[in-house]
């Protein structure tokens, strides 16, 4: 596991990919509060992931927090992840970035499913020979209960649908906690070592027993879980 040591005495410029999502916003807020200059990468901020020139300019002379957007609406998700990853890696290589923190997935080592894009990005960045590189392998975000998978919207039916098995517990973590960890690494004077670092909370939740907080939001109704494919899940 990589550990950051010390705090910097002068401001740095840091690129934050996905600066408008939960983790990216947390990274940007912490770094800005520490006096760093943040360059946000997001279409709404004028730097789109399909604009090679804009990416190269953004990464020039900066450290970077990098992530691969998970776009379930893409016709071919893995092709989309591969293309985005290739553009980001090319921009990093061209700009000479020395320090990169990548948001990866807890099961990236399996190189399949929802973490395939992150796993391929780990390989791309590792091949660049960066001096300071950390993969934050995050577990399932708690925020996904309130958005994305439409759990709250399922209140009308009382059926709790997810694409996951119901029996094994799954570790959860808040996106803001991951963002703070990434910011701390980018803010530090130096790394003790490069490598991967797992980000997950101690608490776990079996999908077969949704938390009481969800039931409370649904008026105390009893919940039923049904196995479902990801493409058929609501939201």
């Amino acid at each position: 596991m990589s550990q950051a040591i010390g705090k910097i005495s002068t401001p740095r410029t840091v690129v934050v990919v996905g600066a408008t999502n939960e983790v990216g916003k947390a990274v940007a807020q912490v770094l800005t509060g520490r006096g760093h200059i943040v360059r946000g990468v997001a279409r709404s901020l004028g730097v789109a992931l399909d604009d090679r020139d804009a990416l190269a300019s953004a990464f020039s002379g900066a450290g970077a927090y990098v992530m691969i957007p998970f776009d379930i609406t893409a016709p071919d998700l893995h092709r989309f992840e591969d293309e985005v990853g290739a553009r980001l890696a090319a921009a990093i290589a061209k700009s000479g970035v020395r320090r990169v923190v990548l948001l990866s997935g807890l099961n990236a080592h399996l190189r399949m499913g929802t973490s395939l894009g992150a796993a391929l990005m780990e390989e791309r960045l590792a091949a660049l020979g960066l001096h300071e590189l950390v993969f934050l392998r995050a577990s399932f975000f708690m925020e996904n209960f309130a958005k994305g998978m439409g759990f709250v919207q399922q209140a009308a039916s009382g059926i709790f649908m997810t694409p996951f098995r119901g029996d094994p517990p799954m570790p959860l973590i808040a996106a803001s906690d991951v963002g703070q960890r990434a910011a701390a690494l980018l803010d530090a004077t130096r790394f003790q070592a490069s490598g991967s670092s797992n980000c997950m909370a101690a608490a776990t939740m079996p999908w077969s027993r949704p938390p009481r907080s969800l039931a409370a939001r649904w008026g105390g109704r009893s919940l039923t879980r049904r196995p479902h494919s990801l493409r058929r899940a609501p939201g």
Side-chain angles (χ1 to χ4, degrees):
M1 177 183 295
S2 298
Q3 294 182 348
I5 301 177
K7 300 293 182 182
I8 66 170
S9 58
T10 57
R12 287 178 176 167
T13 298
V14 181
V15 174
V16 176
V17 177
T20 57
N21 64 32
E22 283 86 353
V23 180
K25 284 191 290 188
V27 175
Q29 288 172 357
V30 172
L31 292 177
T32 300
R34 290 281 297 157
H36 298 287
I37 301 168
V38 172
R39 296 175 184 165
V41 172
R43 188 174 298 277
S44 62
L45 299 178
V47 183
L49 289 171
D50 57 0
D51 188 334
R52 294 180 183 274
D53 292 337
L55 287 177
S57 178
F59 279 98
S60 178
Y65 161 78
V66 177
M67 54 85 68
I68 303 294
F70 184 76
D71 186 359
I72 195 172
T73 66
D76 186 331
L77 174 61
H78 295 319
R79 179 178 179 179
F80 168 79
E81 293 174 325
D82 186 58
E83 292 173 348
V84 170
R87 287 192 290 268
L88 287 172
I92 290 170
K94 182 178 181 179
S95 62
V97 171
R98 291 179 58 87
R99 178 174 297 186
V100 175
V101 175
L102 170 70
L103 175 61
S104 186
L106 196 60
N107 60 339
H109 61 288
L110 299 177
R111 301 186 80 259
M112 62 184 294
T114 57
S115 288
L116 178 59
L120 295 177
M121 193 62 185
E122 286 189 7
E123 295 173 2
R124 280 194 176 93
L125 294 177
L128 295 181
L130 300 172
H131 295 285
E132 299 176 342
L133 173 64
V134 171
F135 307 139
L136 286 183
R137 291 184 170 178
S139 57
F140 193 75
F141 291 148
M142 296 176 181
E143 289 81 359
N144 290 338
F145 284 111
K147 65 171 233 178
M149 300 187 74
F151 292 165
V152 175
Q153 289 74 13
Q154 295 181 53
S157 65
I159 298 173
F160 184 76
M161 295 190 293
T162 82
F164 307 108
R165 285 175 52 190
D167 48 328
M170 178 179 289
L172 307 174
I173 193 166
S176 60
D177 290 342
V178 179
Q180 290 175 23
R181 175 60 176 155
L185 289 164
L186 292 163
D187 179 51
T189 302
R190 61 185 177 87
F191 285 150
Q192 187 176 27
S194 293
S196 62
S197 176
N198 289 346
C199 273
M200 58 185 180
T204 60
M205 188 199 78
W207 290 103
S208 56
R209 293 187 289 108
R212 293 181 181 178
S213 59
L214 278 180
R217 292 187 67 175
W218 292 352
R221 299 181 60 179
S222 61
L223 306 177
T224 302
R225 180 192 174 276
R226 291 182 182 174
H228 233 277
S229 68
L230 180 61
R231 291 193 177 277
R232 293 182 60 197

